[in-house]
Amino acid sequence: MSAIIKALKYGFIGALGAVGTLVIGTHAIAADSDGPVGSAGDQVKKFRQLGTELPSPNAYRSASGAPGPAYWQQSVDYTIDAVLDEDERTITAESEIVYTNNSPDALNYLWVALDQNRFKDGSMARTSAVASAAGSRRGDGAGGEDSYSFGALRYEQAMEDREYGFEFKAIMDGEGETLPYVINDTMMRIDLPEPLAPDASVTIQIDWVHNIIDEVAVGGRGGYEYFEEEDNYIFGLAQWFPRLAAYTDYTGWQNKQFLGRGEFTLEFGDYDVNLTVPSDHIVAATGVLQNPREVMTAEQRRRMDKAGTEKPVYIVTPEEAEENEKTKAKGMKTWRYSAENVRDFAWSSSRKYIWDAMLFEQDDDVNPVVTAMSFFPKEADPIWSQYSTQAVVHTMDVYNKFAFNYPYPTAQSVNSWERGGMEYPMITFNGYRPSEDEKSGEVVYSRNIKYGLIGVIIHEIGHIYFPMTVNSDERRWTWMDEGLNSFLEYMAEYEWEEDFPISGGQQNPLDVITRYMTSDGQVPIMTQSDSVLQFGPNAYSKPAASLIVLRETVMGRELFDFAFREYATRWKFKRPTPADFFRIMEDASAVDLDWFWRGWYYTTDHVDVAVTSMREYQISTQNPEIEFDMDREEDAVRRPENIVQRRNREEGIKTRVSRYSELKDFYNENDKFTVTNADRNKYQSFLKDLDDWERKAYDRAMEDGKYLYFVDFENIGGLITPLPVTLEYANGRMEDMMIPAEIWRRNSEFVTKLIIRDEPVVSIRLDEAHQTADADYSNNTFPPSIASDRLKLKQSNYKRSNMMADALAELKGDDKKDADSKVVPLSTDVEKAETVEAVNDNDSDNDGDTASDASEAEKPKARKDRESALKRTLKRMMNRD
């Protein structure tokens, strides 16, 4: 054994920086793995390669995660003629479907998805709903006490009042011959007269009618919203036609029943759709309008031609829309739309719509210019005019960097309902609207409404990339489009403005997701969509958070961004599976991520790592002339004078030795740290025994004077994670370092890291930037720090919900006398438009008049009669053509 190995001196870093000495010798290191493979004590299982969890590569899907040489997918083309009966709230339609079999299999039958049948009496979705899901929009429920709400009552009454689901008038082949079919809940099997061979096509004619659901009462991904005061409707039509189910290499027919939660995987194809609606309606739809001269006025077409890239222009102005909704036309018009290579078709129709447009330019040979548009009623303004189309353009701008150029000629945001969002090719349905303040009559909106609107539009437009283009299967793996898209939504929100309240009103989603990841009733991300518990965090927030950790902490931006773009590009207009995503991210980055996918996606572990101990050493000189003096000083710190001796001296008690000097001897003159000749001889012997290379290393170590720190980390939460640490030096300097996750590869519960530095460290802090989703930061510092907070002497029931409305509240009590100096950031003056923008940005007071300065003649009702609050706010917020 080399002598230098034994020459370590250490000090335990504590609150007072106490130092001691210890001679360290070599010792056997205990085995890191406590048990056999697969046992509870198997410490290396978290780093085992994903084996049976992933399907084996094959000719359809390669080991690199790319489509294989024999990859295939079906194609389905649709020609549809549909009529909207506004008064009866029904759709009557005829469709011709051309199905092409690109698979290697002969098909005896075709499965067709009938999503409207989810709302039929006796459907599996309705009959399998638990009591706590009564009246819920997606049929969700998680137990709880017996209860029944007005929402549930309205839902049941809506179901009693109308019959929902498809009613078929004809199902025929291309020759007009009736085809046999069987309906199984939300799926219909059409039996073919002869097997459809590979590379062959078949034509099917389906004619149907169905009642449109009351979306507000029933809740779904489409339907109508009724405005009783003016007797008008907004129709958002989705899942409105029979759609061919997907037939895939990994599951055959995807004919799992639609229960309300698991969304859709469909086939790509071309659509020609004729939509006949009341002649005063404005229609937004998937695809490109083919007959603008027949359905748009000359002025509307002129305005569309004026659309540019700087700001939106109105195609239908707020004034025109408000006038249009006052009467109902008796005639009908047909809007003709064509869409190429899309997997679905949706549309919306209403006479209430304001319509604006803006252009987005991209470096793309197929779609160099994209027309971004928004459609919304007056109830959605002013925030929709202000933000919607800008958010559409911003989404494409950011997503193009992470994925690929926007693949279609149009991108649309439609306010077809009051809340929520849903995506379809080239068109999205989005909620969020302002409200009128009851006391002032002003149109106001909360911070949540503003950022909720921007966020939902980014999210739903983002879905046009995932899964409308990268065609993942949400019926099986919800996270593949919701999670990946939520991650990109976060990236776009970071680029919208700093401190964007991305999740739970906070700017860091990693601080929010920990509450879910430490909660009860979790299931792994890789759970089939209809069985997911706590759907929002499981399918959206957790996978999105995982990708932030993967990009910012595990892989780094350069490697992650390249690999993610490779995944998006390889699977553009194709159908990936989780294994394809996992494999590409590794294949394109040379980063082994099996431990990451296993922990984040296949378990419910969470991140909670503690810094439990830190010990400081320097290499000992072993020279007694140096070391013994240091030992004496360190001993005095570690073992202070005992309390009895100190108090005896303070009381003037004399020791016997001090009173009788003849009792003193050698040991009274020399303490235990006195250097002897034997000590000096031992040091010389130590130097003599060193090999040449050891003496050279020793001399250099004495000159360097480095500090060695042994830091203990404990994995409490179970989820493997890198360790971003910050070292604080005695001179106040900070240093960041990243310890890779591979440090846990031999022991996933406890590790010790050796850190060597040139200067003394006074503390170590783990994950200062909150970049790992650590659930408990109280154990992330050594030495531990004191937690500080504030206590309220009395709790208040007041909660800030709508800052604009709160700013209009009249000052009371002692604050009233200071009203002249306390500025309400909303002004009734048109010239004070900037104050509204300022209140959106921060909570501070802004220059402007207070709302309470209005005279009695300007009471809210009188002001409303003179000029509507909507128009006043519109004037303040925009000056748009």
Side-chain angles (χ1 to χ4, degrees), residues 427-439:
I427 187 172
T428 62
F429 298 161
N430 302 307
Y432 290 101
R433 294 171 185 164
S435 58
E436 186 171 300
D437 183 51
E438 294 181 358
K439 295 183 178 180

Side-chain angles (χ1 to χ4, degrees), residues 128-179:
S128 66
V130 297
S132 57
S136 68
R137 297 169 62 82
R138 299 288 187 261
D140 295 332
E145 297 180 356
D146 293 351
S147 64
Y148 198 62
S149 66
F150 274 104
L153 179 62
R154 179 174 61 176
Y155 175 90
E156 290 301 327
Q157 291 173 347
M159 289 302 187
E160 291 176 4
D161 292 343
R162 303 194 80 192
E163 178 68 30
Y164 293 118
F166 287 104
E167 179 185 345
F168 293 102
K169 302 299 182 182
I171 298 178
M172 303 174 292
D173 63 15
E175 305 300 322
E177 297 294 327
T178 298
L179 291 172

